[in-house]
Amino acid sequence: MTSKSIILVPPFISFGTIAPSERAARSRGHQCSVDELNVMYIQPRASKRMATGKFVGDHDKPVGPCSLASVEREFMNSHIISALKQAPSFMDPKSYLDGISSNEAGRRAKYGFLTHDQVSEASAILAERQFGCWVKDVLLKQVSNDPPDVIGVSLLHSGQVIPSAAIIKIVRQLWPQTLIVWGGPHISGLGKQALTKDLPKRSFAADAFVTGHAEETFV
């Protein structure tokens, strides 16, 4: 039986090896496409960093209003940290995060020093705000009347977890029957045993997690 799948790449920063999974799915008769939400978000904000359809790094350039660093900082401050600081478990006086600076909140979000509750709550807030509206608009424009059977999310690092969970909340609103699968280097780094053990706690984000090369372990 063939299926229809979409691989989503969330902001901020993408991993450049999604193509093998897409090709593997198609070679087995499935429909598969890749939606680079990362590129769609960055392109209008840092158009000068684009060349031949790919981003040109600016680590050796001055940090200006159109640099990738400034776009990432704006995304973190305006969306991630703002949502995180409204999360009930974040605001709890007993929380180890209560009262910390925005820089520290950003560091913990970027490097994964958050609880499952904090990620779930922050992503729910993010999904209801401007970012969530943008994601919903993009998905509805990209997808035809037939909803996908599978949505895959590729994560390069832990800083993408909150926006990815927010994206999935939108996906579940639009297509509640769609299977949600997370993969990518960040998921592989967590390890299969840890993911299996904590699956109930992570169910707000995905139905399943795939480690290793998805074209070999999942497709």
Side-chain angles (χ1 to χ4, degrees):
M1 186 177 78
T2 62
S3 64
K4 178 180 179 180
S5 62
I6 301 173
I7 302 173
L8 301 177
V9 182
F12 196 93
I13 300 175
S14 62
F15 186 60
T17 58
I18 305 299
S21 297
E22 182 182 11
R23 288 196 299 266
R26 290 181 175 180
S27 70
R28 290 166 173 78
H30 304 292
Q31 298 179 51
C32 184
S33 60
V34 177
D35 278 1
E36 281 270 8
L37 298 180
N38 176 61
V39 174
M40 295 177 192
Y41 183 86
I42 296 174
Q43 189 169 15
R45 296 168 174 82
S47 57
K48 292 182 179 179
R49 304 271 28 101
M50 291 288 290
T52 63
K54 296 183 178 180
F55 285 107
V56 178
D58 58 9
H59 59 281
D60 58 342
K61 306 291 190 303
V63 177
C66 291
S67 68
L68 294 181
S70 66
V71 175
E72 181 180 21
R73 188 183 303 115
E74 180 272 335
F75 182 79
M76 180 63 74
N77 291 337
S78 300
H79 299 291
I80 306 301
I81 295 176
S82 175
L84 187 58
K85 285 206 164 188
Q86 294 298 314
S89 58
F90 185 99
M91 301 299 291
D92 186 345
K94 296 180 181 179
S95 170
Y96 68 91
L97 286 175
D98 182 56
I100 68 173
S101 67
S102 292
N103 286 340
E104 177 64 9
R107 187 184 75 84
R108 291 180 182 271
K110 189 170 185 178
Y111 297 109
F113 301 128
L114 298 170
T115 68
H116 292 110
D117 286 343
Q118 288 158 352
V119 172
S120 179
E121 292 166 2
S123 63
I125 293 169
L126 188 60
E128 294 296 324
R129 293 184 173 179
Q130 181 183 4
F131 178 74
C133 293
W134 175 78
V135 169
K136 184 175 183 179
D137 184 59
V138 169
L139 292 178
L140 289 175
K141 287 180 179 178
Q142 296 290 319
V143 178
S144 63
N145 294 330
D146 296 327
D149 300 297
V150 181
I151 288 283
V153 183
S154 177
L155 289 87
L156 177 60
H157 61 88
S158 56
Q160 294 174 297
V161 169
I162 290 178
S164 295
I167 291 167
I168 293 311
K169 290 183 185 299
I170 300 300
V171 169
R172 283 176 166 162
Q173 290 174 14
L174 297 175
W175 310 302
Q177 302 304 316
T178 296
L179 177 69
I180 309 298
V181 181
W182 281 25
H186 174 61
I187 301 303
S188 296
L190 293 175
K192 189 174 183 179
Q193 184 175 358
L195 291 167
T196 302
K197 180 180 179 181
D198 288 345
L199 185 58
K201 295 180 180 179
R202 303 175 192 269
S203 61
F204 68 88
D207 300 307
F209 296 88
V210 177
T211 58
H213 297 286
E215 60 271 19
E216 299 174 0
T217 60
F218 181 71
V219 175

